[in-house]
Amino acid sequence: MFEEDDVDLNYPDSVNPHSRDASVPSTGVCGVSVLSCLLLACSYVGSLYVWRSDLPRDHPAVIKRRFTSVLIVSTLSPLFVWTWKEFAGIRSSQSLLALMGIRVEGLLAAATLPLLLTMVLFLGPLIQLGMDCSWDFDGLKVGFDPRFWLLCLSDMRWLRNQVVAPLTEELVFRACMLPMLAPCAGLSLAIFTCPLFFGVGERPAEPPRTNKERNKL
């Protein structure tokens, strides 16, 4: 949802990329930007582990608790952007939500183009599946069956993997971090830098459980 003109920021002279006297962003602004992104990434991932439980991560009770934590952090994530603006001394004529890419203008293109890109991404596996399997319409019929979608909505793992995780991760690691990194790295480089913070904050794999631990569940 971001374009070059979307990030309308009034930089201090020391960080203004269009300034004649400044070609390198201020170290202080870059430090605040990186630190803010790290804190936001750690807050998102850390919220998943505030609940102590011996239950597996796919247990509905664990998923519901993590839903609560992640939604709280995601709701508060715009405060990180606002705090960053104040500490970095950056001003913008846009609202906070518009700065994060959340606006009506360009919404249709922003919703359509990524969907088409995702369809192209999965085109290869779908063709492979069609070549390996006999042609029938059973799978297509399931997709149009309301009972199938009601069943999905009642599955906590499906909601986590298909709804909550994608929405909250895009909000935190894309919408909030891009405005904070753009003044320091530039918008083009910031787009490729955001995934690095996602990697830093990626959830570590849970250790395999022993047979004794499985029998307790």
Side-chain angles (χ1 to χ4, degrees), residues 44-60:
Y44 181 91
V45 178
S47 68
L48 300 174
Y49 297 97
V50 296
W51 307 98
R52 293 184 176 274
S53 176
D54 294 329
L55 298 173
R57 65 186 298 268
D58 288 336
H59 192 280

Side-chain angles (χ1 to χ4, degrees), residues 34-171:
V34 173
L35 181 60
S36 299
C37 291
L38 283 174
L39 288 175
L40 185 54
C42 293
S43 298
Y44 181 91
V45 178
S47 68
L48 300 174
Y49 297 97
V50 296
W51 307 98
R52 293 184 176 274
S53 176
D54 294 329
L55 298 173
R57 65 186 298 268
D58 288 336
H59 192 280
V62 174
I63 295 177
K64 290 180 180 179
R65 291 173 181 174
R66 291 185 171 183
F67 276 5
T68 303
S69 300
V70 166
L71 290 175
I72 291 176
V73 173
S74 300
T75 303
L76 297 177
S77 59
L79 292 178
F80 283 81
V81 183
W82 180 85
T83 304
W84 160 80
K85 286 177 56 182
E86 295 299 318
F87 275 91
I90 293 177
R91 298 294 178 263
S92 174
S93 60
Q94 297 179 331
S95 66
L96 183 61
L97 292 180
L99 188 63
M100 294 167 54
I102 304 174
R103 55 186 177 274
V104 177
E105 182 183 359
L107 181 60
L108 180 61
T112 304
L113 295 179
L115 178 60
L116 294 176
L117 182 60
T118 304
M119 293 171 64
V120 172
L121 180 64
F122 284 94
L123 186 60
L126 289 176
I127 294 177
Q128 182 67 37
L129 182 63
M131 294 175 62
D132 294 341
C133 302
S134 59
W135 286 94
D136 56 54
F137 295 95
D138 291 340
L140 188 61
K141 292 178 181 178
V142 171
F144 288 97
D145 188 351
R147 293 174 297 178
F148 168 76
W149 294 106
L150 290 175
L151 182 62
C152 290
L153 292 175
S154 63
D155 186 352
M156 298 301 298
R157 292 176 300 177
W158 187 90
L159 288 175
R160 177 193 62 192
N161 298 335
Q162 307 299 331
V163 179
V164 176
L167 288 178
T168 57
E169 287 173 358
E170 286 300 314
L171 173 64

